[in-house]
Amino acid sequence: MKTIEELIEAGVEGKRVFVRADLNVPLDGSTITDDGRIRAVAPTIAKLAAAGAKVVVASHLGRPKGAPDPQFSLAPAAERLGEILGKGVAFATDTVGDSAAATVAALANGEVALLENLRFNAGETSKDDAERKAFAEQLAALADLYVGDGFGAVHRKHASVFDLPALLPHAAGDLIATEVGVLKKLTEDVARPYVVVLGGAKVSDKLGVIDNLLEKADRILIGGGMAYTFLKAKGHEVGISLLQADQIPTVLEYLARAEARGVEFVLPVDVLVSAEFPDLKTKAPANPSTVAADAIPADQEGLDIGPGTRELYAAKLADAGTVFWNGPMGVFEHPDYANGTKAVAQALLDSDAFTVVGGGDSAAAVRILGFDETKFGHISTGGGASLEYLEGKTLPGLAALED
Ligand code: ADP
Ligand code: MG
């Protein structure tokens, strides 16, 4: 993989450099609630601009359905990127249309533009190779060189991630280089015990990584939504909690393999439950109750790990040599369900381990809950991407950056 230093050495002055970034930040209306992903890619953009490139930045935001949808506009990200860079960022109101063409044409050397959300175009995420390639060609018309630095999207076979680098001379940005360096470390010699903490909402996305981690980790702690599929597999009632019933056979197989391999598999011993999902807008008190993990009432839903589990998980992290954490322990967006996530974050800081936090929401949670991000070994900007890397899969966006 070429670095941006090599690209710069070969000459970028006056060249239009397309930077595929991941500016998929959490929004409350048009207010960015965590700008971590923008700050993470800003140095790459600044470096290219300083070398005299005309920098054309592109990203996705959320999951629009292949057509413009104002709630997923990147306009707030353009403003924030400008503040971070300390200079104006021109914003194109479309991705490959008249506005994009005019905005890019107007760039002077060292200036930066951001295109509107890539996913406003059906070609970006299309499963049809020809449709994706056609969109990639439209993007290629806006640039001379390509820099891949959207780590959070490298596991996607999307036009801007996979097809576009094949059409232009390309390099990997500094963020991708850092992310891959850290994750590579986790697949090689790790300081033990190697403890993995998994939570979050996207159960099916996350079960796969366990398959691979069962061969590497010493201890796996489960929280968040996926815990209930495990509790159900163990024969417990989970009420109306998140559940992926079709995954129960897989989960049972994991539990059996963990036992056979001597991997410690730890499930919550208690959880916070309520009959209702909390109001994340008003944050009105949710008044959850604490119940044992094998005694969830049929009409209630588990929304965080309980106090006994917080203590248990902190103890299981205390002697760790390496920790990989993906996925909040509960619905941390509501203060009544943030304590499990807080306890795990604190346990990571209290340990002497090399700590890696992966996942958009997990990374945002750490910062939103007031932890100092510099105290962690590494906070990854990619959730699915980091998990798939650890699964040993080939990531389309990384493969495309190979020479
Ligand atoms: P990441 O982005 O870090 O990979 P996910 O996107 O998988 O994490 O999950 C984050 C979301 O999981 C948060 O919005 C949180 O509210 C939700 N979540 C955590 N625990 C639960 C639970 N028990 N039930 C429902 N949602 C949950
Ligand atoms: Mg997420």
Side-chain angles (χ1 to χ4, degrees):
M1 251 183 235
K2 236 191 223 93
T3 63
I4 48 176
E5 269 67 34
E6 292 171 82
L7 204 67
I8 289 170
E9 216 155 280
V12 296
E13 180 150 12
K15 298 254 175 74
R16 298 165 303 163
V17 182
F18 187 101
V19 177
R20 192 350 173 152
D22 173 10
L23 308 180
N24 184 26
V25 288
L27 287 174
D28 182 1
S30 61
T31 306
I32 296 168
T33 55
D34 179 63
D35 64 0
R37 281 180 164 159
I38 305 179
R39 284 184 290 116
V41 74
T44 293
I45 296 166
K47 208 186 256 185
L48 290 164
K54 300 172 175 176
V55 189
V56 181
V57 185
S59 173
H60 69 288
L61 176 78
R63 297 192 172 197
K65 306 259 176 296
D69 181 344
Q71 61 170 317
F72 296 116
S73 172
L74 277 167
E79 202 179 314
R80 187 74 194 102
L81 178 61
E83 287 163 15
I84 293 166
L85 294 174
K87 62 201 237 166
V89 169
F91 183 62
T93 56
D94 56 30
T95 324
V96 290
D98 294 344
S99 174
T103 306
V104 172
L107 284 177
N109 294 2
E111 288 185 348
V112 180
L114 175 63
L115 307 179
E116 184 53 287
N117 197 335
L118 288 157
R119 292 188 188 168
F120 284 1
N121 307 269
E124 169 67 359
T125 60
S126 175
K127 298 254 187 286
D128 179 66
D129 289 350
E131 196 184 345
R132 252 191 0 261
K133 183 142 186 286
F135 180 56
E137 276 162 2
Q138 288 181 288
L139 291 170
L142 296 169
D144 305 301
L145 303 166
Y146 176 94
V147 170
D149 216 18
F151 181 71
V154 291
H155 59 314
R156 306 290 186 198
K157 196 178 171 184
H158 290 170
S160 67
V161 176
F162 178 73
D163 305 86
L164 180 57
L167 302 175
L168 295 171
H170 50 259
D174 289 351
L175 176 62
I176 280 193
T178 303
E179 295 270 15
V180 170
V182 169
L183 292 172
K184 196 150 179 274
K185 249 174 95 174
L186 291 185
T187 62
E188 292 166 352
D189 270 344
V190 291
R192 295 190 179 273
Y194 177 15
V195 186
V196 174
V197 190
L198 294 174
K202 295 180 228 155
V203 184
S204 46
D205 294 10
K206 301 196 174 188
L207 284 173
V209 76
I210 297 175
D211 195 29
N212 194 282
L213 289 171
L214 278 172
E215 310 295 319
K216 306 221 165 64
D218 300 301
R219 220 174 267 160
I220 301 178
L221 317 180
I222 303 286
M226 95 168 80
Y228 303 94
T229 301
F230 281 90
L231 292 171
K232 184 81 179 178
K234 292 210 126 188
H236 304 317
E237 169 70 63
V238 297
I240 53 169
S241 307
L242 273 187
L243 172 66
Q244 244 184 327
D246 58 329
Q247 294 294 323
I248 287 176
T250 309
V251 157
L252 286 170
E253 191 232 302
Y254 290 159
L255 291 170
R257 259 174 59 211
E259 188 159 352
R261 295 193 53 86
V263 176
E264 205 183 336
F265 216 100
V266 194
L267 298 178
V269 292
D270 57 359
V271 293
L272 301 187
V273 297
S274 170
E276 273 153 36
F277 196 84
D279 190 328
L280 302 181
K281 275 229 164 328
T282 66
K283 306 215 172 7
N287 304 314
S289 6
T290 303
V291 299
D294 60 1
I296 300 174
D299 62 342
Q300 311 241 327
E301 149 173 46
L303 294 160
D304 194 12
I305 56 173
T309 309
R310 296 203 291 265
E311 215 169 287
L312 175 68
Y313 286 10
K316 297 284 180 196
L317 287 160
D319 67 341
T322 306
V323 181
F324 174 72
W325 174 26
N326 173 280
M329 294 292 98
V331 182
F332 74 92
E333 295 91 339
H334 191 287
D336 288 349
Y337 299 112
N339 290 326
T341 303
K342 269 188 195 162
V344 166
Q346 189 59 51
L348 259 61
L349 294 186
D350 291 344
S351 79
D352 296 321
F354 174 59
T355 55
V356 180
V357 183
D361 291 292
S362 312
V366 161
R367 291 185 286 256
I368 290 167
L369 297 175
F371 291 92
D372 178 353
E373 61 183 327
T374 65
K375 297 282 196 296
F376 295 85
H378 178 69
I379 299 195
S380 174
T381 52
S386 58
L387 290 172
E388 290 195 22
Y389 188 96
L390 294 180
E391 278 177 61
K393 287 191 181 157
T394 299
L395 306 185
L398 295 183
L401 295 178
E402 298 292 346
D403 304 315

